[in-house]
Structure formats: structure tokens, C-alpha cells
Amino acid sequence: MTRWQAGNFVHVDNAWFEYRVVLEDRRTIENTWRKDSTGDAFFDDGDRPAIRFDTPDGGSPPLPEFGEPLSALLFEEQRQDVDSLFARALSEYEGANGGARLSRFVEKTDAEPLVAPYERIFDPPANEMELLSQTDAALATLGFALAPHIQSAHQLPNLDPADLTVDDGDAPAEESLTESTINDVLGAVGDDAESPFTPEFRCRDEHHREWESWWEDNRDRFRPYLTHLLHADGDEEMEPDDVERSLEEFVSRNECPRLDFDPQRAVYSWVRTTVDDAELMPSSGAELVEEVRRFAPDFEPVTRAPRTGPSERAWNRPGEIGSPSSPDSEGGTFDHADAIERMRRQSAVGDDAERSFRPAVAEWTRECLEAARREGRLDEARELLVGPFARDGETAKHILEGVDTWAEHGDVDALERGVHVSEVWDGAGFDLIGLEPTTDGWEVVRYEVKALPDGEAAAVHLSSNQFAVYRDVCLDPDAESDPKHRGEWKLIGVEPDNGEAEDLTAELSDLPEYLEQLRSGGFGHDGIVIHLRRADR
């Protein structure tokens, strides 16, 4: 629009191009193009941009010739596709029934939505200043004014929150203003409600885009917590997808039209209208966010080796199973509902914990691969990493793709993705695979990663499959003879917020004996829960 207003159309007797080339030997070559001809239009990018054109004697300007210079005037970088589009549109208009032919062309090119806005731009109303003044006066009753950049009537039908500024004076609270209440006030502006310049305020679509972006960033934490909250409120039939659908409908209908839209406040408003038990209700949006943080904390990248020995670790089992000092939490009846709730909670943070530990695994693996490459044993190291998997399976292909991309391009991110097994297959019995150095080279290590809570007690759940892999790899005396079970399996707990991890594998050492006693008694298991307590170190 600015370039159009700054431009100029100039009719001249003769329009042509003149070329001048200075060679290295300082010789000058000059030439002209289209001189002494007519029916031309050229763009002149001088102090004031202009389209200069000439016409045949007694004739009219040849409209298709204006396609290229018009594109150059309107766009800072000339675009050939626009040149030809403008030329085609102008050629349709030239001649008999030009208006009808141009309308059909606009319809075929799906350009109809652009017509009305540009008509307003190129043909402003005679009472433009009055419309702007009336709009300002209407907004003043709500405590707002038009922003300084709103200076023409064509901007009025598409007002959004960025187009308003706070004005002085008494006005309704901003939290009570919505898209519809603002438009009710603006509806009195102007003499003709059907005028294309009638002001209209829109915020719903913009706020919905803001909501979608925010939800994408926070979905993995809020969704499990909100599902847990509704289950605690007695609505146990609600699945995570149902919760998300209900929240989306509520926010889109009730919150996005609000002028003071805030995503966190929108979620809190939904909770207030959905949860019946007052004891479960957070007292504010801030408390809701804190509850979500405790339910699903953040995890920083792990940069140091996990703490291993009982004296080094902060988390340990309180005592031997069945010993007099063992607390009640180690025994008693297994509560299946509690186990399911723990698994739901883990699902909120499990992926984050895995991703936080992944850089450390990739770094240890990279160091081993570098050593293998120096020794000419890179292929041996590659095969070691995929030994636990079917050679032609998707998991092995995923790992090798990451290793080979790193080897060829030094892409550590690709190696990180490659060692993350659970992103390809969640039934392996572990989440990550990598290499660690040994006295005579390196070995393959499987890592099952668990998120530890921000508190003093933890209940770590292992599925029967995960425990079986631990048993086959770590306890079977013949494991090293089978590539599938060669190496190590480690249980890793990652703490929130501090980038630290612990190797909890030793806490499993006495469990097979007790599970074997259960099996001998005719009992199986779907998984085990290991109770840990945090001690000051």
C-alpha cells in the first residue's frame, strides 16, 4: 500500500530503455531498446517510483504491458509469477466485456477474498476522518482508543487487540470485555451498517492460535494431571482424549473471545466449571500450575554419570523385604488402582526423563565409537549396538541410521535420536541403548529410565517385561554367549530440576529370589513396585 501511494503513473511521448556498459579497458558500449516505438510501459525506480508509458497516436494504453512494471512497483523484489498474473488479468479486462471476463478470471484464480479489502484500500470513503473519530469515541466508552498506527478507514473492519490502546477514564473492567461486547459498541459507528468500512473487532481466532501454541508446549504435563483430577473427582470414565476435547471446546467457546485471554487462566476456568469436589479445587491459576509442576516436574539434561553406591545415592530402599526394619509400604496387599495411578503419573514425565538422560548416553556412546573408529573397529561397535534386536527390524535400522549419520556428518543429535529405542519400540524392556568403556574396550548397555519425584518417597514401577530383560541380561550366567543378552541392563532414576541421576540397579538384586518363591506358590506378576526413600547426603 505504501509503495502504491508513493508511486506515480507518467504518460510520456516516448518511453525506452537505455543501456550503458563500461568494459575493463574503459571502453563504453551504449544501446537503446524500444526507442521510437509506442505501446510500452516501464518501471522507473527513481527518487519517486513511477511507471512511464507511451501510447500509439490517438490510442489508449496497452494494459497487458503494465503487468511487469506494476509488479515492480508493488513488490520490493520483482516476482515473475506476479508479472504474468497481472498481465493476464489486464489482458482479460482489455476489450469488449472486460469487466465480466476479469471477474471470471478472479474467480478461477481464487482471488475473490482479496477484492473487497483492496477496494477499501484504493477507494477510501469521503468521510474517512469522521469514521476514525467515531470509532475512537465508541472505544473510549470502554476505556480504549485506536492505536496510533490505525490511520485509515480500510483498517477498521479488521481490528484486533494490537490495534487498541488503553485510554484514561472510567470504563468496564477489561476482564468483562469480549469480542461481542466490543462489537456491540462499534456497531453504532457510521450511518450505514452494511458499509464495507464499518469497524469490527476480532480476537477469537488470534487467541485460539495462541491457545493451540501454548497447549502444544504444555499438553504432555497438563493432560495427565487434568485426567487424574477428574478421576479423583469421581469421573473415572473420562479418558485423556475426552478431557482434551472437553477443554478445547470450553476454551474455544468461552475463553478465546475474551479480550484479556490467558491460556493458564483458561485452563483454571475450565477446572472451576468441571470439578465438583471443592477440596480438589486449586485456589487460583497459580496454584493449579504449581500442582501440575509437582505432578509432572521439569527435567534438566543429565551431564554427570549416575550416582551408584548406596552411600553416594540419595535414593535407596528402606530395608530388606521381610526384615523387621522394613516399613509397611514394602509389604501388604498390592493395590492395582494405585499402580495404575502411578503409571499415569509416570506417563506425564517419563518421556521427559528419558530425553534428559539421552544426551549423556549419546556422549558415552560417541566416545566409544570414536575409539572404535581409531582402532578400525567401528563396524564391530555398530554390530554390538544392534545385537539385542532383529537385524532387519525397524529398531536396528533406527539405531544404525543414527550411528551412520553421526559417523558421516558428526551429527550428535542424530546419534541421540538413534540410541532412543523406546521412540521406535516400547516393548524392548528398556528405553535407551548405548556403549560404555570397559578395561578391554566397550560393552553395550541398556537403560530403563524412571522419573523420580520432587519429594522424599518414590514408587518405581517395572513391568514384567522390563524385569525379565533385567533378569536375562544381568543374572543369567550364559548371557554373554547370546548376543541378545550380552552387556548390561541398568535401572536409572532421574531427579527433577537438577540434572542428576542415580543407578538403582542394585536395588533389584534380591527380588528374583522372592519372585521365585511366589512363582513356586503358583503366583505370577504383571510387574513390581519398588519403594524408595530420599535421604540427605
Side-chain angles (χ1 to χ4, degrees):
M1 180 61 190
T2 302
R3 291 176 63 85
W4 172 263
Q5 292 174 335
N8 193 18
F9 286 78
V10 180
H11 179 250
V12 296
D13 292 333
N14 194 358
W16 77 88
F17 262 103
E18 184 174 284
Y19 300 95
R20 179 180 294 107
V21 179
V22 179
L23 304 179
E24 289 185 357
D25 58 3
R26 296 188 178 182
R27 286 184 300 126
T28 300
I29 299 177
E30 297 182 355
N31 202 352
T32 60
W33 180 59
R34 300 295 294 175
K35 188 175 183 179
D36 298 325
S37 64
T38 58
D40 298 308
F42 302 113
F43 177 64
D44 180 6
D45 193 12
D47 293 337
R48 182 180 181 185
I51 294 178
R52 303 184 184 278
F53 63 96
D54 55 22
T55 57
D57 293 340
S60 59
L63 294 184
E65 294 295 325
F66 283 80
E68 181 179 341
L70 186 60
S71 172
L73 172 65
L74 296 178
F75 299 98
E76 293 189 24
E77 295 185 5
Q78 192 168 351
R79 299 172 49 185
Q80 292 184 351
D81 54 340
V82 178
D83 297 352
S84 59
L85 190 64
F86 283 169
R88 172 74 186 281
L90 291 169
S91 66
E92 292 288 347
Y93 185 76
E94 196 171 43
N97 300 318
R101 296 210 317 270
L102 179 60
S103 295
R104 285 196 299 272
F105 177 74
V106 169
E107 182 179 354
K108 288 180 180 179
T109 54
D110 293 326
E112 287 180 298
L114 300 175
V115 173
Y118 278 97
E119 280 183 344
R120 292 196 294 266
I121 293 174
F122 292 119
D123 189 18
N127 62 338
E128 182 173 46
M129 298 310 297
E130 182 180 351
L131 280 174
L132 291 170
S133 177
Q134 289 180 8
T135 303
D136 248 336
L139 290 172
T141 64
L142 302 175
F144 292 94
L146 288 173
H149 64 269
I150 304 298
Q151 297 183 352
S152 61
H154 79 269
Q155 296 171 285
L156 295 180
N158 297 293
L159 297 175
D160 61 36
D163 298 327
L164 308 184
T165 59
V166 178
D167 196 15
D168 295 329
D170 297 331
E174 185 175 329
E175 63 183 25
S176 68
L177 296 177
T178 66
E179 186 176 273
S180 61
T181 57
I182 294 174
N183 283 326
D184 286 344
V185 172
L186 293 177
V189 173
D191 300 327
D192 181 6
E194 301 299 323
S195 168
F197 299 98
T198 298
E200 185 173 358
F201 177 79
R202 295 182 177 89
C203 65
R204 182 197 296 265
D205 292 344
E206 178 181 331
H207 289 162
H208 193 261
R209 287 191 293 271
E210 181 183 347
W211 162 255
E212 290 180 323
S213 175
W214 182 89
W215 183 246
E216 180 70 22
D217 293 338
N218 295 274
R219 178 178 184 268
D220 290 344
R221 285 186 170 80
F222 273 79
R223 196 168 106 132
Y225 170 77
L226 295 174
T227 304
H228 156 79
L229 190 61
L230 291 193
H231 289 174
D233 193 47
D235 199 350
E236 297 182 0
E237 298 299 320
M238 289 288 280
E239 295 294 332
D241 286 347
D242 301 326
V243 173
E244 184 170 354
R245 187 160 41 249
S246 173
L247 176 62
E248 162 66 25
E249 291 174 358
F250 176 87
V251 172
S252 178
R253 181 178 63 253
N254 299 293
E255 295 294 318
C256 289
R258 293 178 58 153
L259 179 61
D260 64 338
F261 173 75
D262 176 73
Q264 289 184 7
R265 202 260 330 280
V267 176
Y268 180 62
S269 297
W270 176 82
V271 169
R272 289 180 60 189
T273 62
T274 306
V275 175
D276 297 322
D277 190 339
E279 293 185 0
L280 295 174
M281 182 71 63
S283 61
S284 65
E287 184 180 332
L288 172 65
V289 172
E290 179 59 23
E291 288 286 340
V292 173
R293 191 199 68 79
R294 286 196 293 264
F295 186 85
D298 290 322
F299 290 86
E300 300 294 330
V302 174
T303 57
R304 294 185 292 183
R307 302 185 291 262
T308 54
S311 61
E312 299 175 4
R313 296 203 314 263
W315 294 89
N316 292 281
R317 270 176 41 204
E320 294 292 328
I321 294 179
S323 70
S325 61
S326 179
D328 292 340
S329 60
E330 285 282 357
T333 303
F334 178 77
D335 191 324
H336 191 65
D338 284 349
I340 291 176
E341 183 53 48
R342 278 190 291 270
M343 294 172 69
R344 284 196 183 113
R345 198 180 184 106
Q346 280 284 335
S347 72
V349 294
D351 290 346
D352 283 351
E354 292 172 24
R355 281 190 286 268
S356 72
F357 192 63
R358 190 172 73 178
V361 174
E363 177 58 21
W364 302 328
T365 304
R366 184 195 64 79
E367 292 174 355
C368 291
L369 291 172
E370 289 281 14
R373 182 156 55 182
R374 289 193 298 270
E375 298 174 17
R377 300 169 60 191
L378 184 58
D379 287 343
E380 179 184 338
R382 292 171 73 254
E383 291 303 314
L384 196 61
L385 276 171
V386 297
F389 311 99
R391 190 60 177 80
D392 58 349
E394 290 302 317
T395 306
K397 292 177 183 178
H398 174 78
I399 295 170
L400 292 179
E401 181 181 355
V403 171
D404 294 343
T405 302
W406 165 82
E408 184 176 354
H409 304 290
D411 188 343
V412 178
D413 290 339
L415 184 60
E416 274 193 35
R417 294 189 296 272
V419 301
H420 202 158
V421 172
S422 63
E423 288 197 342
V424 181
W425 181 31
D426 62 2
F430 50 91
D431 301 309
L432 302 162
I433 195 167
L435 298 175
E436 289 189 16
T438 62
T439 55
D440 59 349
W442 49 85
E443 67 177 350
V444 64
V445 182
R446 306 152 183 82
Y447 306 90
E448 175 61 30
V449 182
K450 300 296 183 182
L452 295 172
D454 183 13
E456 297 182 355
V460 174
H461 177 270
L462 282 181
S463 70
S464 58
N465 181 49
Q466 292 163 354
F467 190 80
V469 175
Y470 156 72
R471 184 193 60 223
D472 292 343
V473 172
C474 298
L475 305 181
D476 186 348
D478 298 324
E480 287 302 311
S481 63
D482 183 355
K484 183 178 179 181
H485 298 144
R486 190 175 297 158
E488 290 290 339
W489 182 101
K490 293 182 179 182
L491 176 61
I492 303 296
V494 180
E495 293 187 326
D497 301 323
N498 61 12
E500 296 190 1
E502 302 208 339
D503 185 345
L504 304 171
T505 317
E507 300 296 339
L508 306 178
S509 60
D510 60 337
L511 296 183
E513 177 185 349
Y514 294 104
L515 292 174
E516 178 60 25
Q517 294 176 13
L518 288 173
R519 191 188 68 79
S520 298
F523 296 96
H525 71 93
D526 293 329
I528 60 175
V529 177
I530 307 162
H531 293 273
L532 304 171
R533 292 198 68 83
R534 195 181 203 287
D536 294 332
R537 289 178 288 110

